């Protein structure tokens, strides 16, 4: 919890709509001790804020902490990573030429299994939380491992460090695809372990102020159908969110067809989405990672069920999975956010994921076969995502994906203060940097419009531009 009322002053930028950023210049935002935004006052400098805003809020001048955005700085909503594997962080960048299924066997399962060593888990989890916060990730939907104590430790560490998180104990019991030393003994054992982790997280944070559990079947090929069904029932019983992977890679899709024939699932077809639907796992609180190769029929089913998609462009490129056509999903009304998918993705930065989303959307255009625009004709160019759209996905889209759109993702009264102070480099008349702030690779000469500065941040920014980060009003990172 934040300890003091806070007043933030300067420029605030957030998404107003999918393709529109709003620039709130000379604005004051008040945040109370609970971390909630109590006022957004435009045309307000520090003097006016102290003379009129503070008295209105009943806050005493001396008891308020004031944070001002300097020249070249702005407040932006914290990023939401809708898909990240905390235990895989040490493998970020290590994937060679592998593709999904051999990558899981070679790199991923051995590392995840080794994190039942709690000292190792603590080391890895402490680092990934620190690293993501330093890149402005205020909320993450984490996959942990099958190990309950290590999963609970991840929840404890997020809570203590102040990162908002959904924590999923990974379920996998299919002997054909899971190694003997890293799988649940049975569907019942998987369910019991999941319940144990849910109970721990609920004790830690009973009202989900910061941390909440998320039901996590790894992906269909890792689970027997009875386990998928039991997890679907658990989700219905607890009203908890669900996260899993879908249609990331063609070999994976073929595997699903082999493992889940209609005779097993009773589904109308043998599609991947149909398997999840038959198990009751396709709900309005389901986060589906990837969705690269969904058929039109599957996309329509996902849209009907209100399930959400975590787009992970960096991972899809690194593992050679394919290029997701995000515009098609958005056009169907499917809510999308961004995921780093560490360590299928090599970068823990959501800003990097936003950049990758923009790039991949361009590659989709080069690849041809355009999405029908409004059902008629072709307009390939429409598949391109703008900088504004990528930033929407990174914040408001992500918030909706994880069911937190009423709490985070933009600056408005009643929302919680999950935010980052972004600082760009300011170039002086002599060509040297002004001041001692490190602007990283983003050099602003002063003649650029604010939309152009934001574009420079998206294309060239990194954690050097992430100066301060708050979650629920609490300062959780300050760049040294
Ligand atoms: N599918 C099943 N497990 C995983 C995983 O850990 N990462 C990715 N990218 N895809 C998966
Ligand atoms: Zn993943």
């Amino acid at each position: 919890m934040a300890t003091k009322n806070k007043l933030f002053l300067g420029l605030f930028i957030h998404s107003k709509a999918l393709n529109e950023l709003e620039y709130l210049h000379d604005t004051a935002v008040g945040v109370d001790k609970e971390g909630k935004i109590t006022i957004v006052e435009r045309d307000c400098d520090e003097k006016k804020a102290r003379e009129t805003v503070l008295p209105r809020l009943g806050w005493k001048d001396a008891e308020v902490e004031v944070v001002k955005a300097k020249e070249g700085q702005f407040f932006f909503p914290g990023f939401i990573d809708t898909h990240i594997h905390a235990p895989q962080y040490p493998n970020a960048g290590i994937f060679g030429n592998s593709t999904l299924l051999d990558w899981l066997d070679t790199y991923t399962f051995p590392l995840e299994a080794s994190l039942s060593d709690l000292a190792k888990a603590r080391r890895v989890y402490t680092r990934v939380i620190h690293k993501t916060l330093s890149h402005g990730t205020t909320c993450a939907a984490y996959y942990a491992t099958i190990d309950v104590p290590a999963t609970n430790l991840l929840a404890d560490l997020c809570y203590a460090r102040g990162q908002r998180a959904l924590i999923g104990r990974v379920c996998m019991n299919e002997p054909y695809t899971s190694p003997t030393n890293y799988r649940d003994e049975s569907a019942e054992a998987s369910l019991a372990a999941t319940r144990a982790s849910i109970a721990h997280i609920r004790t830690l944070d009973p009202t989900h102020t910061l941390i909440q559990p998320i039901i996590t079947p790894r992906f269909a090929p890792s689970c027997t159908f009875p386990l998928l069904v039991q997890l679907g029932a658990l989700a219905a019983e607890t009203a908890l969110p669900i996260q899993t992977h879908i249609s990331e890679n063609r070999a994976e899709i073929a595997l699903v067809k082999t493992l889940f024939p209609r005779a097993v699932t009773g589904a109308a077809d043998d599609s991947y989405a149909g398997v999840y639907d038959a198990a009751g796992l396709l709900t309005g609180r389901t986060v589906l990672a990837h969705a690269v190769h969904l058929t039109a029929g599957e996309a329509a089913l996902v849209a009907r069920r209100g399930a959400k998609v975590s787009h992970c462009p960096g991972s899809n490129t690194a593992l050679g999975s394919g290029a997701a056509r995000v515009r098609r999903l958005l056009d169907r009304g499917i809510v999308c956010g961004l995921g780093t998918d560490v360590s299928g993705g090599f970068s823990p930065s959501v800003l990097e994921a936003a950049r990758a989303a923009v790039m991949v959307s361009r590659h989709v255009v080069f690849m041809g076969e355009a999405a029908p625009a409004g059902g008629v004709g072709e307009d390939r160019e429409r598949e391109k995502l703008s900088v504004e759209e990528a930033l929407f996905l990174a914040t408001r889209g992500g918030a909706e994906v994880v069911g937190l759109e009423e709490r985070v993702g933009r600056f408005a009264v009643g929302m919680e203060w999950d935010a980052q102070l972004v600082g760009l480099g300011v170039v002086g008349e002599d060509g040297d940097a002004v001041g001692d702030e490190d602007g990283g690779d983003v050099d602003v000469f002063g003649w650029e419009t604010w939309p152009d500065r934001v574009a420079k941040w998206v294309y060239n920014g990194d954690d050097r531009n992430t100066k301060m980060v708050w979650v629920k009003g609490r300062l959780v990172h300050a760049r040294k």
Side-chain angles (χ1 to χ4, degrees), residues 83 85 245 290 341:
H83 185 80
H85 299 260
H245 300 84
H290 306 298
D341 193 26

Side-chain angles (χ1 to χ4, degrees), residues 83 85 88 100 103-104 108-109 112 218-219 222 245 248 252 290 315 319 341 344:
H83 185 80
H85 299 260
Q88 297 176 17
L100 179 64
W103 169 78
L104 285 171
T108 306
F109 293 153
E112 288 193 14
R218 174 166 218 122
F219 66 159
S222 290
H245 300 84
E248 176 178 2
E252 168 207 12
H290 306 298
S315 168
L319 293 182
D341 193 26

Side-chain angles (χ1 to χ4, degrees), residues 60-328:
K60 292 204 180 68
D61 204 287
E63 291 166 7
V64 175
E65 188 184 329
V66 176
V67 183
K68 280 195 268 186
K70 294 190 264 192
E71 188 190 353
Q73 297 187 336
F74 58 94
F75 297 101
F76 198 77
F79 288 136
I80 296 173
D81 189 342
T82 59
H83 185 80
I84 173 167
H85 299 260
Q88 297 176 17
Y89 179 61
N91 274 354
I94 308 178
F95 52 90
N97 275 329
S98 62
T99 55
L100 179 64
L101 299 178
D102 56 313
W103 169 78
L104 285 171
D105 289 335
T106 311
Y107 298 94
T108 306
F109 293 153
L111 177 60
E112 288 193 14
S114 75
L115 263 67
S116 56
D117 170 348
L118 288 184
K120 185 171 179 183
R122 178 179 291 277
R123 190 169 168 220
V124 170
Y125 291 162
T126 299
R127 194 64 194 161
V128 72
I129 293 166
H130 167 79
K131 186 60 68 174
T132 51
L133 283 174
S134 72
H135 281 276
T137 299
T138 50
C139 176
Y142 282 119
Y143 285 56
T145 64
I146 71 170
D147 190 71
V148 174
T151 300
N152 295 348
L153 176 63
L154 175 61
D156 294 347
L157 293 171
C158 285
Y159 191 69
R161 194 66 178 72
Q163 189 174 46
R164 201 181 287 280
L166 296 89
I167 307 280
R169 183 257 168 207
V170 171
C171 297
M172 44 193 282
N173 73 329
E174 171 55 63
Y176 178 64
T177 53
S178 314
T180 30
N181 70 337
Y182 191 55
R183 72 165 174 248
D184 297 323
E185 271 176 25
S186 63
E188 290 66 33
S190 190
L191 213 78
T194 299
R195 282 191 188 276
S197 183
I198 292 171
H200 174 85
I201 295 165
R202 287 195 157 158
T203 309
L204 177 70
D205 191 357
T207 54
H208 297 177
T209 56
L210 216 55
I211 312 292
Q212 53 175 311
I214 181 163
I215 295 168
T216 306
R218 174 166 218 122
F219 66 159
S222 290
C223 303
T224 60
F225 192 64
L227 175 56
L228 293 178
V229 170
Q230 288 181 45
L231 292 174
L234 182 65
E237 172 198 321
T238 56
L240 284 173
I242 300 163
Q243 60 182 353
T244 191
H245 300 84
I246 194 167
S247 291
E248 176 178 2
N249 160 294
R250 292 196 191 279
E252 168 207 12
I253 296 165
L255 186 57
V256 169
K257 289 209 188 304
T258 315
L259 291 171
F260 299 94
R262 270 184 298 169
V264 167
T265 62
D269 59 38
D270 61 354
S271 75
Y272 202 153
V275 173
Y276 288 142
D277 196 43
L281 288 166
L282 222 48
T283 76
R285 285 186 295 272
T286 303
V287 183
L288 299 167
H290 306 298
V292 175
H293 305 288
L294 284 189
T295 63
E298 288 181 296
L301 175 61
V302 167
R304 272 203 309 284
R305 298 289 183 254
K308 320 289 193 275
V309 166
S310 171
H311 174 44
C312 305
S315 168
N316 298 155
T317 304
L319 293 182
S321 301
R325 294 172 179 264
V326 177
R327 179 74 63 204
R328 291 187 185 189

